[in-house]
Amino acid sequence: MGVQVHQKQESDIKKGKKITYTSLVQTDDFQELLKQKKAFILPMTLFFFGFYFLLPILAAYTKVLTYQAIGHIPWAWIYALLQFMLVWVCGFIYIKKSEKYDNLAANILAKHKEELD
Amino acid sequence: MSTMALSLFLGIILLTLTITYLSSKRTKNASDFYTAGGGLTAWQNGLAVAGDFMSAASFLGITGAIALIGFDGFYMSIGNLVAFLFLLYLVSEPLRNLGKYTMADMITARFNSKKVRGVAALNTLVISIFYMIAQLVGAGGLIKLLLGIDYAWSVLLVGVLMTIYVIFGGMTATSWVQITKAVLLLAGSFVLTFIVFAKFNFNVMNMFEHVKSVTPLGDAFLNPGNKYKDGLDMISFNMALVLGAAGLPHLLVRFFTVKDAVTARKSVVYSTWFIGAFFIMTIFLGFGAAAFVGFDNIVAANPAGNMAAPLLALTVGGEILFAFVSAVAFATILAVVSGLVLTSASAFAHDIYGQIIKGGNVTEKQQVLVARLLQLE
């Protein structure tokens, strides 16, 4: 976990361990972890923002959401419920992905433990 | 004022004071006071986050908005829920990892200057105070309507109660009042939803078909665009909804009440389940109010529709359910206001007094004392 390491680094600054944790952040392993996290979070965020704003945009500038989807229920409500699904599914994905990053962070710490002590 | 309503109100007050008493015995240091010692589990914190978000505005406001303007009222539910993805993906973990007690702690972890801390604390205070004024005004109106107590006395009553919770119980009491209220609110909404759904023979199609014939909007009730006719209006409103949650200080401090980032992210996900379920129920509550209370009666009680949920309870469940729903709405306001007071007090005592005026040379005891004193004003 990038930020956790950062926090740890701060507390270690006080103990005079600054150089080692700064160098840990600069290792290829750690930079790779940061890159992977960014490659996951950025596209996902853009995706759910796009998905979210499509509803008011479609509602404001087209008539498609007023057509009936099932029985008397217009598409607007179906799209709205899809957004609920989106939140639950993206939440699940985030938890799963974060576990992977936590493990990677733990591995990096374990690997460089000796150098740090 | 019915005996039933009064006894339920007193019951809520007694319950929350008991929680405060029990919490006060566990509140020993600054960390306990500001963040409940970081000791909440993911489930508990998830419920508390959900509770902070299911305010009187969502329970009374969204139900009323759906009942009066149909789909445009439901925008609030959608936006408020998607806001949690934003919180989860971009805000929760960095905030938990860098922060200690307040928002300003997190920002100053990277940009360490008194000015930055001061601005962050000031932000927290300004947002909380405006939010609190709205809640207190709502509380006064609600209690006056339900119990017939004078408006000024109602506001005073809420003010005194929240001060007691926060001064004596700190974040532990605030959290447990919030959790209790979240459970009560979910239960009350579920009972109402069930009754409404039963009246439509458990058939969603029936419900959608029926509401079209009972509101003045007719077929348009189910379509977007009744309130927000201009495209940019609609988009800017939605943007405020989805980004607004990340700007609520009393919600952000909820990430400090758990032990680490893993628990923080789990609690956000749990809260999306509670809030999602609640927001789906707002459809039933709103439609039920439109169908069984009627447009004219809702507007007659309150032009903004804020009485739609209690009136629905009265219509479909009689005096008992009405009293219960009103008491829950009262508990909701108490809980949210307490969260706001605690957040403002933390920003003042920890950031402005502790770090800026005293330059960090202040004992935990002094900080908590200042935080407690502040609420008396």
Side-chain angles (χ1 to χ4, degrees):
Chain A
M1 187 77 13
V3 260
Q4 240 166 17
V5 172
H6 175 87
Q7 195 186 35
K8 207 152 186 263
Q9 177 194 340
E10 287 215 328
S11 63
D12 280 303
I13 290 173
K14 291 168 199 147
K15 295 176 203 154
K17 277 200 198 171
K18 182 177 177 172
I19 301 149
T20 43
Y21 270 103
T22 310
S23 55
L24 178 69
V25 174
Q26 282 158 356
T27 58
D28 291 343
D29 291 340
F30 192 80
Q31 289 300 320
E32 176 62 27
L33 174 65
L34 284 185
K35 221 162 128 192
Q36 277 191 28
K37 276 189 91 166
K38 211 185 213 171
F40 163 64
I41 288 177
L42 200 66
M44 283 296 279
T45 309
L46 289 176
F47 164 70
F48 65 69
F49 264 28
F51 194 85
Y52 173 73
F53 281 109
L54 195 59
L55 173 67
I57 291 170
L58 284 178
Y61 300 109
T62 72
K63 285 227 159 289
V64 289
L65 292 177
T66 64
Y67 300 137
Q68 286 172 353
I70 312 159
H72 289 270
I73 305 174
W75 280 106
W77 294 88
I78 306 293
Y79 197 106
L81 289 180
L82 278 178
Q83 305 231 17
F84 278 65
M85 301 295 152
L86 171 90
V87 171
W88 292 329
V89 170
C90 288
F92 181 77
I93 295 173
Y94 185 83
I95 294 277
K96 286 287 147 208
K97 276 278 184 182
S98 307
E99 274 168 15
K100 201 184 106 190
Y101 297 134
D102 285 352
N103 286 336
L104 279 175
N107 286 343
I108 294 172
L109 263 184
K111 190 173 155 191
H112 297 276
K113 198 172 185 310
E114 280 169 28
E115 303 160 35
L116 293 170
D117 283 337
Chain B
M1 170 177 26
S2 73
T3 340
M4 175 63 91
L6 185 66
S7 47
L8 276 173
F9 267 67
L10 290 178
I12 296 262
I13 293 175
L14 201 67
L15 182 67
T16 47
L17 287 177
T18 313
I19 292 172
T20 307
Y21 174 70
L22 294 175
S23 314
S24 70
K25 291 206 283 194
R26 298 215 313 234
T27 304
K28 294 188 188 75
N29 53 36
S31 157
D32 289 340
F33 184 81
Y34 291 129
T35 64
L40 292 187
T41 67
W43 274 106
Q44 291 163 351
N45 201 48
L47 263 174
V49 171
D52 268 325
F53 222 69
M54 297 185 294
S55 62
S58 14
F59 180 58
L60 302 174
I62 297 180
T63 304
I66 294 178
L68 296 182
I69 54 175
F71 187 82
D72 279 8
F74 194 52
Y75 272 134
M76 287 189 253
S77 293
I78 308 166
N80 282 339
L81 185 67
V82 177
F84 275 82
L85 273 187
F86 180 71
L87 275 178
L88 177 66
Y89 274 73
L90 300 175
V91 179
S92 65
E93 289 190 44
L95 192 61
R96 177 66 199 90
N97 285 328
L98 291 175
K100 194 177 168 201
Y101 299 145
T102 62
M103 253 300 278
D105 281 342
M106 182 239 172
I107 297 171
T108 48
R110 295 261 167 109
F111 306 99
N112 202 357
S113 97
K114 279 187 182 178
K115 278 182 193 152
V116 172
R117 185 179 283 276
V119 171
L122 194 67
N123 251 321
T124 299
L125 287 170
V126 170
I127 296 172
S128 300
I129 288 169
F130 278 104
Y131 203 98
M132 195 154 35
I133 291 172
Q135 295 277 335
L136 281 174
V137 168
L142 188 76
I143 298 173
K144 189 179 170 220
L145 258 166
L146 302 170
L147 291 180
I149 303 174
D150 186 58
Y151 179 81
W153 284 106
S154 308
V155 173
L156 202 65
L157 174 73
V158 175
V160 169
L161 281 171
M162 71 182 190
T163 310
I164 294 176
Y165 301 154
V166 179
I167 289 185
F168 295 105
M171 191 49 144
T172 313
T174 306
S175 300
W176 281 101
V177 167
Q178 198 60 268
I179 292 168
T180 312
K181 162 238 140 165
V183 173
L184 285 174
L185 186 57
L186 283 168
S189 307
F190 182 77
V191 171
L192 273 179
T193 300
F194 186 83
I195 298 175
V196 168
F197 206 23
K199 285 193 178 270
F200 289 112
N201 298 319
F202 298 102
N203 187 333
V204 182
M205 303 296 161
N206 273 350
M207 185 168 81
F208 274 79
E209 193 183 344
H210 184 76
V211 286
K212 287 209 285 193
S213 62
V214 292
T215 76
L217 290 168
D219 282 3
F221 182 77
L222 293 180
N223 295 332
N226 291 321
K227 179 160 189 191
Y228 307 102
K229 305 218 185 288
D230 182 70
L232 283 176
D233 267 3
M234 202 186 270
I235 292 164
S236 79
F237 175 62
N238 274 279
M239 187 169 303
L241 288 173
V242 79
L243 298 179
L248 294 177
H250 65 296
L251 198 75
L252 294 177
V253 292
R254 284 253 157 257
F255 296 115
F256 304 136
T257 55
V258 291
K259 67 176 194 299
D260 54 21
V262 181
T263 323
R265 77 169 84 103
K266 275 190 186 148
S267 58
V268 179
V269 171
Y270 286 140
S271 69
T272 64
W273 287 95
F274 296 125
I275 295 169
F278 174 73
F279 282 156
I280 286 179
M281 291 195 279
T282 59
I283 306 177
F284 292 85
L285 301 182
F287 280 19
F292 305 122
V293 181
F295 185 89
D296 295 337
N297 291 334
I298 298 172
V299 176
N302 175 292
N306 287 336
M307 286 301 287
L311 286 177
L312 173 67
L314 184 64
T315 315
V316 301
E319 196 73 29
I320 299 176
L321 204 55
F322 175 68
F324 179 74
V325 166
S326 310
V328 169
F330 173 62
T332 299
I333 292 172
L334 279 182
V336 172
V337 171
S338 310
L340 286 163
V341 172
L342 183 79
T343 313
S344 319
S346 309
F348 195 89
H350 178 69
D351 295 326
I352 297 179
Y353 176 76
Q355 302 290 329
I356 296 176
I357 299 179
K358 293 275 177 174
N361 300 320
V362 58
T363 63
E364 288 195 348
K365 264 195 179 146
Q366 283 173 316
Q367 271 191 42
V368 175
L369 184 69
V370 170
R372 287 181 165 161
L373 281 175
L374 261 171
Q375 285 137 40
L376 291 172
E377 295 180 359

